[in-house]
Amino acid sequence: VYCMSRKKVEDIAKFLKQNKINALPYHAGLSNEVRKKNHDRFIKEDDVVIVATNAFGLGIDRHLRFVAHLDLPKNIEAYSQEVGRAGRDGLPANAFMTYSFSDVIQLNNWIQNSGAPKEKMILDQRKLKRLIALCESVDCRRKVILNYFGEEYLNDCGNCDNCLTPPEKWDGKLEAKVVVDAIQAIDERFGSVHLVDFICGEESETIKKWNHQKLPLFGSGKHLEEKQWKSIVRQMIASNVVSIDLAGYGTIRSNSNTKAFISNEMPIFFRKYNKEKVKRQKDISETISTGKNKNSAEFEKLRRLRLELATAQNVPPYLIFSDKTLLDLIKKKPKTLNQMTKVFGIGEIKLQKYGKLFLDELNS
């Protein structure tokens, strides 16, 4: 689980532990001894979740089923590398990411304060905008990522959330006009929170401080909920119909595309927010380590044996047998050592070292 700050890493790890999930923190603020201990446990034990900043990543040598980003990574390159660590054994894996515009502002502040040459900062800001566009895309995410790296992918992947549960689209030309008018009414000086409050008619402290509740367009978007307007603003930024001024504390501003949108009255399609059907995306992972799997009991027996052997030899469990091998053992149910040679990942050496132990456990 990736988080942007050390504090959030600690908070999330604590939250997971309280909910009986074996979670360990990892960030640069921990001592070398604690980092090494947590890293080793993650590599060598089953069912360990590591909650980390991007200080954790290189040298992960195990098979991962799940990678979650609870904040934005720096760019699409970092995102691809981090989620790409899951599913390397060929079995299905899941990636999950959530973000807010406060992440965008924080990342941009890091870019601004990095001390890098101006050209590098401009490049990093462009990369950040492309990442936002990926997050808000209604197209196949594999297509978007590969397009970013200059590759063309003709078919939809069939695995990402947009392919599995295609979002409904609607022409939000009138709503986009409300956003543009509101941006101009408050002089293009405020961020998304203030903008949405203004559109929804929410008399927040900042709204009252600037007397924006007295402007004619205050509350012009009361026909939609706050979450819908937040989604619309995010998608307009991702589509570059309006801009987020990364160097100006996240203020939302019009740009040349805004003027073209207004003058041409061109349609603009948004992802539909459905209050009655906000649900988790379909989980495509095989539930190989949960009670939901019909072979769960057998799998857990073999996994316990694997862990005992790995602990005794002080090696990661996958070096004994991979999850894929355990699943193939359950599927083929060999009765003899000779039949075990037909199982994925079992060669002569591993057959000699572990064959009888796993065969006895499988058939017990």
Side-chain angles (χ1 to χ4, degrees):
V1 177
Y2 284 106
C3 302
M4 195 182 297
S5 69
R6 298 176 186 181
K7 183 181 184 305
K8 190 165 182 178
V9 164
E10 295 285 354
D11 290 345
I12 295 297
K14 181 180 178 181
F15 169 79
L16 292 174
K17 285 178 184 175
Q18 289 171 343
N19 285 273
K20 297 181 171 48
I21 292 174
N22 190 12
L24 302 170
Y26 189 102
H27 57 74
L30 298 171
S31 67
N32 290 336
E33 181 183 358
V34 171
R35 286 205 307 272
K36 185 178 186 307
K37 179 183 176 183
N38 290 354
H39 183 276
D40 287 348
R41 285 192 60 192
F42 181 66
I43 296 299
K44 294 177 181 178
E45 296 180 24
D46 286 327
D47 295 329
V48 174
V49 173
I50 203 86
V51 185
T53 60
N54 59 11
F56 184 81
L58 297 177
I60 297 178
D61 196 9
R62 64 164 295 173
H63 299 140
L64 304 183
R65 301 266 70 81
F66 183 76
V67 175
H69 286 85
L70 299 191
D71 298 305
L72 276 180
K74 291 190 296 185
N75 48 47
I76 293 179
E77 288 92 337
Y79 175 72
S80 299
Q81 185 185 55
E82 288 159 5
V83 297
R85 295 185 176 110
R88 288 185 176 178
D89 56 353
L91 293 175
N94 282 280
F96 169 84
M97 181 164 68
T98 183
Y99 83 103
S100 71
F101 273 124
S102 62
D103 299 346
V104 179
I105 303 306
Q106 187 170 344
L107 284 171
N108 183 68
N109 287 339
W110 287 353
I111 293 171
Q112 292 290 323
N113 298 321
S114 65
K118 184 177 180 180
E119 293 77 10
K120 174 71 165 54
M121 288 195 289
I122 292 173
L123 177 61
D124 287 342
Q125 287 174 339
R126 287 175 179 168
K127 287 184 174 185
L128 183 54
K129 288 181 178 179
R130 292 290 295 272
L131 179 61
I132 298 169
L134 168 65
C135 294
E136 295 297 336
S137 175
V138 295
D139 298 320
C140 169
R141 297 198 191 276
R142 182 171 176 82
K143 277 184 175 178
V144 177
I145 291 173
L146 289 179
N147 176 261
Y148 175 81
F149 291 111
E151 297 182 40
E152 187 177 7
Y153 191 70
L154 298 178
N155 301 314
D156 290 344
C157 71
N159 290 322
C160 71
D161 57 323
N162 284 344
C163 286
L164 289 170
T165 52
E168 292 182 62
K169 303 175 188 178
W170 58 286
D171 184 356
K173 180 171 58 181
L174 296 178
E175 282 70 22
K177 183 72 165 54
V178 169
V179 172
V180 171
D181 290 343
I183 290 171
Q184 294 171 348
I186 58 177
D187 300 324
E188 305 192 359
R189 294 177 56 195
F190 297 87
S192 61
V193 174
H194 188 94
L195 174 64
V196 170
D197 282 345
F198 178 79
I199 292 170
C200 292
E202 181 67 36
E203 294 194 23
S204 66
E205 290 301 315
T206 313
I207 290 287
K208 288 188 283 190
K209 175 184 175 182
W210 293 92
N211 284 323
H212 284 168
Q213 76 277 15
K214 296 179 181 179
L215 295 176
L217 291 179
F218 179 71
S220 55
K222 286 186 176 180
H223 60 290
L224 295 180
E225 293 185 10
E226 177 189 9
K227 286 184 178 180
Q228 290 172 286
W229 284 115
K230 285 181 177 178
S231 177
I232 289 168
V233 172
R234 286 199 307 267
Q235 292 178 70
M236 288 179 70
I237 292 169
S239 302
N240 203 28
V241 176
V242 296
S243 297
I244 179 170
D245 185 358
L246 294 174
Y249 304 101
T251 55
I252 310 296
R253 298 181 175 178
S254 56
N255 57 32
S256 58
N257 290 332
T258 312
K259 295 170 184 174
F261 163 73
I262 294 171
S263 60
N264 297 331
E265 293 192 351
M266 51 196 287
I268 178 168
F269 290 95
F270 295 124
R271 177 193 297 267
K272 187 174 183 180
Y273 175 81
N274 189 337
K275 179 184 175 184
E276 302 301 322
K277 203 173 181 180
V278 178
K279 62 186 179 74
R280 292 178 183 273
Q281 297 292 341
K282 179 183 176 185
D283 186 343
I284 63 166
S285 286
E286 292 182 17
T287 51
I288 56 177
S289 59
T290 73
K292 298 175 185 176
N293 189 280
K294 62 181 181 180
N295 297 317
S296 177
E298 290 177 287
F299 183 79
E300 287 304 321
K301 281 173 59 179
L302 296 183
R303 221 163 58 127
R304 280 195 297 271
L305 173 59
R306 180 180 67 177
L307 183 59
E308 289 172 8
L309 293 169
T311 302
Q313 297 176 39
N314 195 29
V315 297
Y318 78 90
L319 288 182
I320 306 296
F321 284 141
S322 69
D323 286 351
K324 195 169 184 178
T325 297
L326 299 189
L327 289 171
D328 206 33
L329 274 169
I330 294 169
K331 180 181 177 181
K332 292 178 179 173
K333 291 185 168 48
K335 299 297 182 184
T336 65
L337 289 175
N338 185 54
Q339 290 176 355
M340 283 186 79
T341 60
K342 303 288 195 277
V343 173
F344 174 86
I346 299 184
E348 190 61 37
I349 294 176
K350 288 197 174 184
L351 184 68
Q352 292 176 10
K353 290 179 72 173
Y354 311 122
K356 188 173 187 311
L357 291 169
F358 279 85
L359 192 64
D360 290 345
E361 186 69 22
L362 186 66
N363 294 316
S364 64

